[in-house]
Amino acid sequence: MIDVNVASQSFSLVDSVILILMLIISLGIGIYHGYANRKTLKTEVEYLMGGKNMSVVPVGMSILASTLSAIGLMGVQTEMYLYGSTFAFSFFPFLVTALLFNRYILPIFYSLNITSMYHYLEKRFDRRVRLFGSISFLILSTLYMPILLYVPSLSLNQVTGTNIHVTSSILVAIVVLYTCIGGFRATVWTDVFQTITMFGSIIVVLIKGTVELSDEIGFEGIFRNTYERDRYEFPTLRIDPTIRHSFWSITLGGVGYCGYIFCNQNVVQRYLSLPSLKKVHRAAWLSVSIFVSIYFLSIYGGSLLLATFSDCDPKMAGLIREHDQLIPFFVLLISRNLPGLAGIFIGGMFCAALSSMSTFLNSMAAVVLEDFFKPLSRRNLTMRAKNWIMRGVVVVCGLLCVPLMAIAEKSNTIMQLTNSFEGVTSGSVLGIFILGIFFPSINGSCALMGGIAGLVLMGWISFSAQSAIAAGDLIFETKPLTHEGCPDVFNITVHLNETALNTESSYVMPLFRISYLFYIPLGIITTISVAFLMRLISGGNKPGDVDATLISRLVHSRDTDVNEIAQSQEILEEKIDLMSKEEKLLSRVKITK
């Protein structure tokens, strides 16, 4: 195996130059588009939607970059190392959800010609529901962006020792600057560069790691080691909601999580920037295909980690502070004979974070302007006022990320933390959209009460579970890890006492122990259930109250069939009644005669 004694190797000058160059290019792209489109950027449609005439490839790559951040790149590989391959089976519900969304939901949003997807909620329900959706998105974005900052900052801290708050401040300054200057086009085209960089850095690291390990154990030895260490496994079929990854949690949670990925402002706003629905579908499948490729490459990366550290877990050895630092530590080990590799990888992580953050900031600006300032303003906003609002939102929300990053520092694993936060608001909002698109009988009051119930329940469960994790009361059992092969020069006693021996959880309410993958499905079920309960109590919409363009064609066609049957029944009843009257009339005539 690779000797871990080289862990003391420093981040070289070549690595630093490559990293700085990547950041400069990202900033330069934003400044260029801000200057090239300085005349049209004064309009909100250009700043928020790129004039709605974007091209398929950059938008498809931007959608990928906005959904697959450094969290996904590092989280999946760490997940494979610690817990095995069960999470990989979420690939199947991901494809199914993508197909259903693109076929039945996306055309509805596109036909409305809107900027904020929450505008749909006002058209379908009322303003209260629209504000609920918008506020939920802003809350989630505010909690999520600090995690985006934390992952690359932690990576750089591992290889250079740079304070994570210093790194995060620099990243915030860069992303706020180019998002303010360049608007939507800047975020999309920087996403293109950052996606290429992100994808390329993964390929280079995996190739180098494979070559290093193949010399030691052979290429087939990588997979054999993964199998022998019990990492290849099918999700259990046991019906137990506290099992972290089971067939049921992965299937239901995968559908819910993927539904959130597609049905959120960040992604929908990019779809709506394209000039035709045909191009929207092309961009969607382009992003899905690249996403799947990177996903499985990350699974393989987890096998490389396991083969490298099978006899010496770096956290047990005191070489890293958290398992989320495994990837940068691995890169540092294999880059000893290839200067610049660490810089490429860390640069890829930085680019992944920047692309996701710029997407969030631009989408938050769109939501605040469209859902708050415009509807609540007593008079039409001037273009100057709109520009101040949009850029002001970018600056304020960007600066909030640095102090809020403390939340991520208390997490167990980044993957679980992000899914937990997403489950708080995503389930209730996604449930409301499902009610609006597929259940015409639900009105605004019913949907709002359902959404509030889902938000309160999932907020209580998620934050209680995260508090238990931070306090060390809730611990998830990992696959077997060992320190037996670690060099004797490392002092591991303290770390063994804190991590290796502390594998049992304290008592935690069973509701807080449920798998984090159930958060979004549980939020959806709660929202829909409470909405229908309220419909039984207070009543709902009558047939024909809802505009047919706001509901799925599945429901519309079903309702059409029902209406046709009802009309046929009415005609038949009228004929029977007429025949009955004729018979009575004839009988009277006979009696008279």
Side-chain angles (χ1 to χ4, degrees):
M1 296 295 175
I2 300 173
D3 185 4
V4 296
N5 281 297
V6 300
S8 59
Q9 175 181 321
S10 61
F11 200 61
S12 69
L13 178 61
V14 175
D15 295 317
S16 300
V17 170
I18 291 175
L19 175 59
I20 294 172
L21 183 61
M22 287 183 177
L23 296 178
I24 291 176
I25 292 175
S26 295
L27 181 60
I29 292 173
I31 294 175
Y32 166 76
H33 282 282
Y35 177 78
N37 302 288
R38 59 189 181 280
K39 294 181 179 180
T40 56
L41 267 177
K42 294 179 180 179
T43 65
E44 61 186 287
V45 175
E46 178 65 32
Y47 187 83
L48 298 176
M49 307 286 285
K52 295 189 176 183
N53 61 352
M54 300 294 293
S55 302
V56 170
V57 174
V59 169
M61 297 180 74
S62 179
I63 292 170
L64 171 73
S66 63
T67 55
L68 186 65
S69 63
I71 297 171
L73 293 177
M74 294 177 61
V76 173
Q77 298 177 64
T78 304
E79 185 73 29
M80 177 69 177
Y81 173 83
L82 291 175
Y83 300 104
S85 63
T86 53
F87 188 78
F89 286 86
S90 60
F91 158 75
F92 298 105
F94 176 84
L95 289 182
V96 173
T97 307
L99 177 64
L100 294 176
F101 176 79
N102 283 282
R103 187 174 180 85
Y104 297 112
I105 298 178
L106 188 55
I108 296 175
F109 290 131
Y110 191 83
S111 65
L112 296 177
N113 194 30
I114 54 180
T115 300
S116 168
M117 65 178 289
Y118 305 106
H119 194 177
Y120 165 85
L121 297 179
E122 182 174 356
K123 288 177 175 289
R124 171 62 180 83
F125 297 114
D126 53 45
R127 185 179 297 277
R128 299 171 303 163
V129 182
R130 177 181 183 177
L131 290 177
F132 177 83
S134 303
I135 293 172
S136 298
F137 170 74
L138 294 175
I139 292 173
L140 174 61
S141 301
T142 303
L143 293 174
Y144 194 86
M145 285 194 298
I147 308 175
L148 296 174
L149 277 178
Y150 176 70
V151 174
S153 300
L154 189 65
S155 300
L156 189 63
N157 172 263
Q158 173 60 36
V159 299
T160 67
T162 305
N163 185 281
I164 59 175
H165 295 284
V166 173
T167 305
S168 62
S169 299
I170 295 173
L171 288 178
V172 166
I174 292 173
V175 72
V176 166
L177 184 58
Y178 79 69
T179 305
C180 276
I181 294 175
F184 185 83
R185 288 185 186 274
T187 62
V188 168
W189 283 105
T190 51
D191 284 349
V192 172
F193 166 73
Q194 290 157 355
T195 300
I196 295 172
T197 303
M198 177 172 59
F199 195 74
S201 66
I202 293 177
I203 296 292
V204 172
V205 168
L206 293 184
I207 291 175
K208 176 61 175 174
T210 301
V211 171
E212 291 273 352
L213 288 168
S214 295
D215 293 339
E216 298 284 341
I217 61 176
F219 181 67
E220 72 283 355
I222 297 173
F223 300 96
R224 184 174 62 252
N225 179 80
T226 306
Y227 176 78
E228 291 173 352
R229 300 286 175 173
D230 195 29
R231 294 317 195 265
Y232 290 140
E233 60 179 351
F234 189 85
T236 178
L237 295 175
R238 286 173 53 198
I239 303 177
D240 182 356
T242 64
I243 297 176
R244 191 170 181 271
H245 287 161
S246 67
F247 172 82
W248 313 106
S249 65
I250 288 174
T251 301
L252 295 176
V255 171
Y257 178 70
C258 296
Y260 154 73
I261 287 180
F262 293 111
C263 192
N264 76 81
Q265 176 65 24
N266 295 338
V267 174
V268 171
Q269 186 174 337
R270 272 145 182 73
Y271 285 140
L272 300 181
S273 69
L274 291 164
S276 69
L277 187 59
K278 186 176 181 179
K279 291 188 175 182
V280 169
H281 290 307
R282 289 178 181 175
W285 287 114
L286 173 64
S287 63
V288 168
S289 60
I290 301 177
F291 183 93
V292 171
S293 301
I294 294 180
Y295 190 80
F296 280 101
L297 286 175
S298 298
I299 296 289
Y300 174 66
S303 295
L304 290 182
L305 289 179
L306 188 62
T308 304
F309 304 120
S310 57
D311 296 323
C312 177
D313 178 67
K315 184 178 179 181
M316 286 185 172
L319 300 173
I320 59 176
R321 190 173 72 250
E322 301 293 342
H323 277 120
D324 290 313
Q325 294 176 307
L326 271 173
I327 313 299
F329 181 66
F330 170 74
V331 172
L332 196 62
L333 295 179
I334 65 174
S335 64
R336 62 192 186 281
N337 298 322
L338 186 60
L341 178 61
I344 292 174
F345 177 78
I346 300 299
M349 296 300 101
F350 276 37
C351 286
L354 290 174
S355 62
S356 297
M357 281 197 65
S358 63
T359 298
F360 269 104
L361 292 174
N362 187 263
S363 296
M364 292 173 79
V367 168
V368 171
L369 176 65
E370 295 291 328
D371 296 339
F372 293 92
F373 279 93
K374 275 189 175 182
L376 299 178
S377 178
R378 294 182 179 179
R379 55 183 180 180
N380 292 332
L381 295 171
T382 64
M383 198 60 242
R384 179 182 176 85
K386 292 177 182 177
N387 283 322
W388 275 105
I389 292 169
M390 292 185 292
R391 289 166 173 81
V393 171
V394 170
V395 173
V396 172
C397 294
L399 294 178
L400 278 175
C401 294
V402 179
L404 290 177
M405 201 169 62
I407 299 173
E409 297 181 66
K410 300 294 183 180
S411 66
N412 180 39
T413 64
I414 293 299
M415 181 69 72
Q416 176 160 329
L417 179 65
T418 54
N419 280 272
S420 298
F421 277 166
E422 288 164 352
V424 175
T425 60
S426 304
S428 58
V429 175
L430 191 55
I432 289 177
F433 276 105
I434 291 173
L435 289 170
I437 293 171
F438 295 104
F439 299 98
S441 64
I442 300 298
N443 60 27
S445 297
C446 297
L448 182 61
M449 293 304 297
I452 293 174
L455 179 65
V456 171
L457 176 63
M458 298 319 303
W460 176 49
I461 294 175
S462 179
F463 287 111
S464 297
Q466 290 303 316
S467 298
I469 292 172
D473 296 330
L474 182 57
I475 298 173
F476 297 94
E477 184 180 356
T478 66
K479 293 292 185 179
L481 303 172
T482 182
H483 65 284
E484 294 177 357
C486 295
D488 295 333
V489 295
F490 296 111
N491 183 1
I492 60 175
T493 304
V494 173
H495 291 273
L496 282 177
N497 289 335
E498 294 182 352
T499 61
L501 300 180
N502 186 22
T503 58
E504 295 185 0
S505 301
S506 302
Y507 175 77
V508 177
M509 184 184 295
L511 187 60
F512 302 153
R513 301 177 66 89
I514 65 173
S515 171
Y516 67 96
L517 291 178
F518 281 123
Y519 287 1
I520 293 181
L522 185 56
I524 294 173
I525 293 172
T526 302
T527 299
I528 294 177
S529 300
V530 172
F532 271 95
L533 179 62
M534 292 301 300
R535 177 180 175 272
L536 291 175
I537 296 173
S538 61
N541 291 327
K542 297 179 181 179
D545 285 350
V546 180
D547 185 349
T549 61
L550 301 176
I551 58 177
S552 170
R553 60 182 180 178
L554 286 175
V555 180
H556 184 55
S557 61
R558 183 189 69 192
D559 290 346
T560 300
D561 294 339
V562 171
N563 290 333
E564 289 176 354
I565 294 173
Q567 290 174 0
S568 300
Q569 289 176 340
E570 290 177 358
I571 294 172
L572 181 60
E573 289 173 356
E574 289 177 357
K575 287 183 177 180
I576 293 173
D577 184 62
L578 182 60
M579 290 174 63
S580 177
K581 290 180 179 179
E582 289 177 351
E583 288 176 356
K584 289 180 180 179
L585 181 61
L586 287 174
S587 63
R588 288 178 182 176
V589 170
K590 289 180 181 178
I591 292 173
T592 303
K593 290 182 178 180

